[in-house]
Amino acid sequence: PIKKAKMKPMVKQVIKSSPREERLERLEEPYLSLSCCMQEVQCGEKSGEALEALLSDLAEVSNSRERASKLFQWLIQPIPSKSFFRDTWEKKPVLIKRQNPDYYKGLFSTAEFDRILRQDDVQYGVNLDVTSYTNGKRETHNPPGRALPFTVWEFYESGCSLRMLNPQAFSSTVWSVLSILQEQFGSMAGANVYLTPPGTQGFAPHYDDIEAFVVQLEGKKHWRVYNPRSEDEVLPVVSSLNFSQSEIGKPILEVVLEAGDLLYFPRGFIHQGNCLPDAHSLHITVSSYQRNSWGNLLAKVVPAALEMAMEEDVDFRRGLPVDYLTYMGVQNSDKEDPRRAQFLSRIEGLMKKLSTFAPVDAAVDQKARDYLHDCLPPMLTAGTTYLLLKFKHGLFDGEAVWLYYTADNSRVYHKEAPKSVEIKAEQTDGMEFLIHAYPKFVTVGSLPCESAEDKVSLAELLFEKGLIHTAEPLQRS
């Protein structure tokens, strides 16, 4: 059952604040309503934070994590983000009904879709998919080459859905939002835009391998969400194939999203959406946490731990029993043989010892390097520093230390190779000092490098790469 939230009235501030402070403070006011299997929040607030004004305010926030936190709070308002991550994240869907069609205005629009088709090189299958779902059959109708506007709109008028796969490559607003949010998640934030004509459905029921935030921008769409079918499909590693209606049971949530509404569901929750006869639909799905599980981290930890264990512990180098093939393997799995118990006990003991060799921090650095490669570049604005994201991970390779950063990344996923720069060993203490000083400004002279020359050369290197900036603009001589 769905429980509607009883909204508390907004408390007026007694102390007057500046317009910017008031906008940011409104994002932190607490509202919440929970139920056992899902959550719905009815938001009675009629006026939302204008996105353009919010992004302008956030550009003045020097701490990138604080900036990300405030933007995420705007996204899921009125649910406090702390409650969301404690009670909802990876657990159950949440529905926010706003009664405010302009809440997400400015993020993306059908007019923006058309402008991109006319002005940019949009390629079928790379940037745009044309799809349909009729009589239980899902089809893709992509011709080769560039998606020209008159052809795309002809597909749309014939009842096909349009999915823009990487709107951040074309829309500066989507790019800005995702580049900020990715630091909230510590994982790449992506997006797809879906434009669906009235009375149609573009996709079959399926589940995804990402955490999905469905942001309704225009029109309305009828959604059905279903529980994972078994424990094996809870928080899945990969997305599913298409399901038939008979395979998915009854929905736990059935709702019509209208402009300004938000629907979140974790990976593994089956979903499908279709347009009602009287309205089109435009929504953007913001996604994150793809391949960002404990298992994904252990996939980096275990091989490195095993390599180290074999180098340092003779027990891992001892030979297998000469006759182990006679009692181990699937063909022998049902046999009662004391040698099997002894063999399995030996494996268990080695696995326990293996944990003592686990290079967890080094594996986290490797995971972070992948994350930094996945990330969108920051949208640089005056008064904004992006030091933390760039300096967060330096990786050791023999005697060298490599600093990985995102400033030169492409807005297209993995179009460029990972970006890094070598840091001298005598400058590593200075790098760590900068990491922990963020977001405060520090003087070049305070860097704990071995010499004044090392301090200056480190600052020059980072400044030339666009990874640091000065508190005051540099004056030309």
Side-chain angles (χ1 to χ4, degrees):
I2 300 173
K3 296 183 179 178
K4 295 185 178 180
K6 293 182 178 179
M7 303 302 300
K8 296 180 179 179
M10 295 185 66
V11 180
K12 294 183 178 179
Q13 295 289 332
V14 178
I15 301 175
K16 292 185 178 179
S17 304
S18 69
R20 173 178 175 272
E21 289 172 337
E22 289 175 351
R23 284 196 294 264
L24 292 178
E25 286 168 0
R26 280 204 302 271
L27 301 183
E28 299 171 355
E29 298 186 40
Y31 305 92
L32 185 65
S33 175
L34 297 175
S35 63
C36 59
C37 64
M38 65 153 293
Q39 179 181 352
E40 178 180 353
V41 176
Q42 292 284 348
C43 184
E45 185 179 355
K46 294 298 181 182
S47 59
E49 171 66 73
L51 180 57
E52 182 180 359
L54 175 61
L55 292 176
S56 176
D57 291 340
L58 293 179
E60 300 177 29
V61 178
S62 61
N63 189 319
S64 57
R65 286 188 174 176
E66 180 184 348
R67 186 164 54 246
S69 177
K70 289 182 179 296
L71 183 59
F72 181 72
Q73 184 61 77
W74 168 83
L75 180 71
I76 65 167
Q77 181 78 355
I79 303 173
S81 58
K82 185 177 180 180
S83 300
F84 175 83
F85 284 109
R86 183 189 65 224
D87 302 323
T88 305
W89 177 253
E90 294 191 324
K91 296 182 180 71
K92 61 186 178 181
V94 61
L95 168 65
I96 299 175
K97 298 288 290 181
R98 297 195 188 280
Q99 294 88 44
N100 180 2
D102 294 330
Y103 189 84
Y104 295 115
K105 187 176 181 179
L107 180 55
F108 201 83
S109 66
T110 301
E112 177 86 345
F113 206 124
D114 183 65
R115 181 197 64 77
I116 290 169
L117 291 174
R118 295 178 184 279
Q119 296 181 4
D120 293 298
D121 182 16
V122 178
Q123 293 287 318
Y124 287 111
V126 177
N127 312 115
L128 184 73
D129 280 334
V130 178
T131 68
S132 65
Y133 179 72
T134 54
N135 299 321
K137 185 179 181 181
R138 156 81 158 81
E139 292 185 275
T140 301
H141 307 279
N142 293 340
R146 181 176 173 180
L148 297 173
F150 55 87
T151 306
V152 172
W153 293 122
E154 191 173 286
F155 276 122
Y156 177 80
E157 291 297 330
S158 68
C160 292
S161 290
L162 308 177
R163 173 172 67 177
M164 183 166 285
L165 299 172
N166 47 357
Q168 63 272 19
F170 306 104
S171 165
S172 59
T173 302
V174 175
W175 168 29
S176 179
V177 167
L178 297 182
S179 68
I180 295 172
L181 284 178
Q182 65 195 4
E183 198 155 346
Q184 170 71 28
F185 300 119
S187 176
M188 183 194 77
N192 286 340
V193 168
Y194 300 82
L195 180 61
T196 309
T200 68
Q201 181 169 337
F203 294 88
H206 66 283
Y207 62 71
D208 295 313
D209 60 347
I210 47 88
E211 301 299 298
F213 296 84
V214 178
V215 178
Q216 190 70 25
L217 300 173
E218 295 176 8
K220 53 188 176 181
K221 198 166 200 178
H222 171 235
W223 283 89
R224 285 166 285 175
V225 181
Y226 308 76
N227 273 325
R229 300 181 305 167
S230 68
E231 282 294 318
D232 294 339
E233 294 181 357
V234 173
L235 303 178
V237 177
V238 296
S239 298
S240 72
L241 299 174
N242 295 331
F243 295 117
S244 66
Q245 298 295 145
S246 62
E247 293 177 289
I248 57 179
K250 294 182 179 180
I252 61 166
L253 168 64
E254 187 164 3
V255 66
V256 174
L257 283 191
E258 299 179 283
D261 294 345
L262 174 75
L263 174 63
Y264 159 81
F265 45 83
R267 54 198 190 275
F269 277 75
I270 300 167
H271 53 277
Q272 60 179 322
N274 64 281
C275 270
L276 302 177
D278 61 337
H280 79 291
S281 170
L282 179 75
H283 79 265
I284 185 169
T285 297
V286 176
S287 62
S288 192
Y289 255 57
Q290 188 178 50
R291 297 186 295 275
N292 203 43
S293 67
W294 286 101
N296 294 121
L297 176 60
L298 287 172
K300 296 183 180 296
V301 171
V302 173
L306 189 56
E307 183 178 347
M308 192 179 301
M310 292 186 71
E311 290 179 1
E312 299 183 11
D313 190 327
V314 68
D315 282 347
F316 288 87
R317 301 196 298 271
R318 297 189 192 280
L320 293 164
V322 294
D323 61 345
Y324 81 103
L325 293 178
T326 65
Y327 56 85
M328 295 305 299
V330 175
Q331 72 276 14
N332 298 308
S333 60
D334 294 332
K335 291 183 178 180
E336 292 290 337
D337 190 320
R339 294 175 299 173
R340 283 183 57 82
Q342 186 177 4
F343 190 96
L344 294 173
S345 177
R346 183 68 176 272
I347 290 289
E348 183 179 355
L350 290 174
M351 292 296 289
K352 288 181 178 179
K353 288 183 71 173
L354 187 63
S355 65
T356 65
F357 296 96
V360 177
D361 287 322
V364 167
D365 282 345
Q366 295 292 332
K367 191 80 172 63
R369 181 177 65 179
D370 294 344
Y371 161 53
L372 293 177
H373 187 206
D374 294 345
C375 278
L376 286 165
M379 178 178 281
L380 300 178
T381 56
T384 305
T385 175
Y386 293 85
L387 190 62
L388 178 66
L389 186 59
K390 312 308 162 305
F391 284 178
K392 195 170 183 181
H393 295 280
L395 303 181
F396 288 87
D397 182 11
E399 296 300 318
V401 176
W402 294 90
L403 177 69
Y404 285 82
Y405 57 93
T406 65
D408 293 335
N409 281 8
S410 170
R411 288 161 67 177
V412 177
Y413 180 72
H414 284 191
K415 184 177 181 181
E416 305 286 344
K419 305 299 181 182
S420 63
V421 62
E422 185 175 355
I423 302 297
K424 297 177 182 178
E426 55 268 26
Q427 295 175 329
T428 55
D429 287 343
M431 283 298 313
E432 290 186 4
F433 178 77
L434 283 169
I435 293 171
H436 296 299
Y438 179 85
K440 297 179 181 178
F441 284 93
V442 297
T443 64
V444 175
S446 66
L447 298 177
C449 298
E450 294 182 3
S451 67
E453 182 181 353
D454 289 333
K455 297 177 184 182
V456 172
S457 65
L458 176 61
E460 287 179 340
L461 172 66
L462 299 176
F463 186 81
E464 288 171 359
K465 292 291 183 182
L467 305 181
I468 59 173
H469 69 92
T470 56
E472 299 295 335
L474 296 179
Q475 299 296 323
R476 292 183 178 182
S477 57

